[in-house]
Amino acid sequence: MVKAVIFDVDGTLTERDSWTRLTDNLGGSADEHLYIFKDFLGGKVSYKDSKAKLLKVWQATGNANKENFQKIFESWLLRPEAYEVVDFLKSRGIIVCIITGSMDLYADIVAKRLDIPFYFFNTKLVWDEKNNLIDFQYIKDQAGEKVRQFLQFCQEQNLDPQNCIVVGDGANDIGLFKIARGVALKSADSSSIEPHAWKVVNNLSELREILD
C-alpha cells in the first residue's frame, strides 16, 4: 500500500534545471555556470574555488539579492498537471513530500505553491543583513544526501520505504529508486535512471493510473 509520494523538483515538477536557469534570469552566463560546475565535478577546481567563481558570476549581475531570487523563483511555472496530481494524492490520504537538489528558497516556494508540508533541499543560501547573497552551502553528494533525507522523512513519519513512491528524472535519484518504488518521468536526462525504475511514465498524471 502506498503511504507517501516523494517528488524531485527540477525536471519533474518543473521542466527545467533551476541552477542554470537562475543564472540566466539574473543576467549571468549559463554557459560559464556549466563550465564551473563541470570543472568542480571533474575535480579540476575545489569546492571553495568553484563556489567563489559562481558567486562572482551571480554578484556581477547586480541582482544577487533575496528579493530578486524570490521574484525569479515565483515566476517559474510548474508542470500544469502537478497541481492536479498533488490534490489527488492528498484526497487519497497519501503524504506528499519534496526532496530536491536545488536551493532552500526555491524548495520553500514550490512547496507552498502546491501546499506540500514536507520538503528537503540540498543548498542553503546565505544572505547578509541587507539580504544580498554572500554565500551558499552546497552538498556535492546530492544522491547520498537525498537518500539520507528520505530515510529521515520515513523515520519521522513512521513509514516503510517500500510503501513510498519516489518520482524523479535524474541520476541523483537512483539511490532513492533502490530503496523505494521509483517512478521515472521521461525527460532529456531520464535514460540513466529508467533501468532502476519500478515504473516509467511520460506525464505526472499517469500516477493516478498507477495508484487506481
Side-chain angles (χ1 to χ4, degrees):
M1 181 178 179
V2 175
K3 299 287 187 68
V5 175
I6 296 87
F7 290 96
D8 171 47
V9 175
D10 289 4
T12 302
L13 290 176
T14 66
E15 295 184 0
R16 294 180 58 185
D17 170 72
S18 59
W19 285 90
T20 51
R21 189 178 187 187
L22 172 63
T23 300
D24 182 64
N25 285 188
L26 286 171
S29 168
D31 286 340
E32 186 176 358
H33 182 149
L34 285 172
Y35 290 138
I36 293 169
F37 186 59
K38 287 177 181 177
D39 283 348
F40 166 59
L41 288 182
K44 295 180 180 179
V45 180
S46 70
Y47 168 72
K48 181 180 178 181
D49 289 344
S50 60
K51 182 168 68 169
K53 287 183 177 182
L54 182 55
L55 278 170
K56 186 176 180 180
V57 170
W58 285 347
Q59 291 166 340
T61 67
N63 297 317
N65 59 68
K66 192 171 185 179
E67 181 180 1
N68 284 329
F69 272 57
Q70 186 152 349
K71 285 180 180 177
I72 288 169
F73 292 150
E74 289 176 345
S75 73
W76 294 347
L77 299 179
L78 304 179
R79 293 184 186 272
E81 65 273 17
Y83 300 90
E84 167 197 347
V85 169
V86 170
D87 286 345
F88 168 76
L89 295 172
K90 290 178 184 176
S91 73
R92 290 292 187 91
I94 295 172
I95 302 171
V96 184
C97 176
I98 287 171
I99 298 181
T100 176
S102 192
M103 294 152 271
D104 53 355
L105 181 59
Y106 184 43
D108 181 68
I109 288 170
V110 173
K112 285 178 178 174
R113 188 174 289 177
L114 292 170
D115 195 23
I116 295 174
F118 307 105
Y119 65 92
F120 298 85
F121 49 84
N122 181 65
T123 302
K124 180 176 177 56
L125 299 170
V126 181
W127 316 94
D128 67 12
E129 67 280 358
K130 294 183 179 180
N131 280 330
N132 293 310
L133 184 71
I134 55 172
D135 199 2
F136 62 84
Q137 298 165 1
Y138 171 88
I139 296 172
K140 182 178 180 180
D141 182 16
Q142 286 199 33
E145 180 67 0
K146 281 193 167 190
V147 168
R148 186 196 67 77
Q149 291 168 337
F150 171 67
L151 293 176
Q152 177 186 333
F153 168 71
C154 288
Q155 183 178 31
E156 290 173 351
Q157 300 303 314
N158 195 27
L159 295 167
D160 182 335
Q162 285 299 307
N163 289 333
C164 299
I165 286 177
V166 176
V167 187
D169 75 309
N172 65 5
D173 294 311
I174 290 175
L176 294 174
F177 278 29
K178 291 180 178 180
I179 57 176
R181 302 187 198 183
V183 174
L185 177 64
K186 275 191 170 293
S187 73
D189 301 316
S190 65
S191 59
S192 64
I193 198 172
E194 288 179 26
H196 304 275
W198 170 57
K199 303 281 186 181
V200 178
V201 299
N202 293 295
N203 188 289
L204 290 177
S205 296
E206 293 175 48
L207 284 172
R208 300 185 62 160
E209 300 171 18
I210 291 173
L211 292 168
D212 277 340

